[in-house]
Amino acid sequence: MSQAMDSIDVVVDLLKNNPEIAALGFNTYKPRPARQTCGQLEELRETIFHHVPNDQLLIPRSSLDREGILRLCAELSPGSRLALRSEIQVSGAPKFIPMIDFICEKSEANLRLLSSQLGHLHRIDGFNTGGGVLLETDNSYHYQARRLLPLDKWTSFIGHVLLLHPPAEHRELAHRTGALSVIDVRWAGHVLIGGGGALRISQNFDGKFPRVVKQVAA
């Protein structure tokens, strides 16, 4: 794969690497407008436990070439986004696409940090993810692996993802490097609550698709 790939190519590549996938699940949703401040405790509580509602689609493999996925994106209603769901049914059993939503600032230093952390994650016994890719989004990065994990391995994977968050004793260094918050811990929380996650594959606000900026070896 080349670094000219975008999020659509990554989905197509996932299907090539996993011929057992018969269909993929997607969410369509409208992002909640960002708020600069939370003036009242009740408003803060509402924000903390808010979950963006979504509609779910199940699309057969035969419709998921690049042109088919682009057509799904083009058919979205104004302001809507398309996200790939992590859970996949394979022969009646759930399997999962390992994915991570990062929240750190975009920089060469943070890209090296994430690549190093993901390399360590790949070396953990039992996570046979086949490596993966880091994609640049509007404000940070997404990660998607190439191979599926069964439920027990995926649950452990998400637990290890939470450990990528900088420990308290390194908060000062993390703050100086713009990596005080590395992963989107709220995303990880929703993943565990919902039994699966999703990451956007449709266009950024600039009209371009998230693009691959780093290959992560297995």
Side-chain angles (χ1 to χ4, degrees):
M1 295 190 301
S2 70
Q3 289 197 350
M5 290 178 65
D6 61 23
S7 55
I8 309 302
D9 296 315
V10 173
V11 176
V12 173
D13 190 68
L14 175 76
L15 291 167
K16 290 179 181 177
N17 288 326
N18 299 273
E20 70 273 26
I21 296 176
L24 289 176
F26 297 86
N27 290 345
T28 63
Y29 67 98
K30 289 189 176 181
R32 189 183 193 190
R35 295 183 181 180
Q36 298 300 317
T37 60
C38 291
Q40 302 294 329
L41 180 59
E42 288 299 322
E43 185 179 354
L44 176 60
R45 185 179 296 115
E46 178 188 350
T47 300
I48 289 173
F49 290 105
H50 177 75
H51 180 69
V52 177
N54 59 74
D55 295 320
Q56 298 184 7
L57 305 171
L58 185 65
I59 308 297
R61 182 189 187 97
S62 59
S63 299
L64 291 175
D65 56 8
R66 181 174 176 86
E67 290 72 23
I69 302 171
L70 288 173
R71 188 160 49 249
L72 287 174
C73 294
E75 292 172 351
L76 292 169
S77 61
S80 292
R81 303 288 186 267
L82 183 70
L84 174 66
R85 293 180 57 81
S86 63
E87 183 179 359
I88 299 172
Q89 291 294 321
V90 177
S91 300
K95 287 195 173 183
F96 297 83
I97 307 165
M99 52 176 63
I100 307 172
D101 191 8
F102 291 103
I103 202 172
C104 58
E105 297 175 4
K106 292 190 290 187
S107 70
E108 286 300 320
N110 281 341
L111 196 56
R112 289 193 298 270
L113 171 66
L114 298 184
S115 180
S116 174
Q117 290 179 323
L118 288 167
H120 175 72
L121 191 60
H122 283 310
R123 290 189 291 273
I124 294 174
D125 186 41
F127 291 163
N128 183 24
T129 61
V133 293
L134 275 165
L135 299 103
E136 184 179 81
T137 64
D138 283 309
N139 299 311
S140 191
Y141 303 99
H142 287 165
Y143 168 77
Q144 183 177 309
R146 296 190 178 96
R147 294 179 186 160
L148 309 180
L149 292 178
L151 177 59
D152 59 337
K153 298 296 184 184
W154 173 80
T155 303
S156 180
F157 175 84
I158 296 299
H160 282 84
V161 166
L162 288 168
L163 296 180
L164 298 180
H165 196 69
E169 61 267 27
H170 294 298
R171 287 180 64 85
E172 182 179 349
L173 174 61
H175 180 72
R176 291 202 309 268
T177 58
L180 186 59
S181 294
V182 175
I183 62 167
D184 186 342
V185 292
R186 290 180 51 76
W187 176 85
H190 284 301
V191 165
L192 292 173
I193 292 169
L199 287 179
R200 179 177 58 81
I201 64 168
S202 57
Q203 292 97 323
N204 297 323
F205 287 116
D206 63 5
K208 298 178 181 179
F209 289 94
R211 66 184 183 94
V212 173
V213 291
K214 189 72 174 179
Q215 304 283 340
V216 182

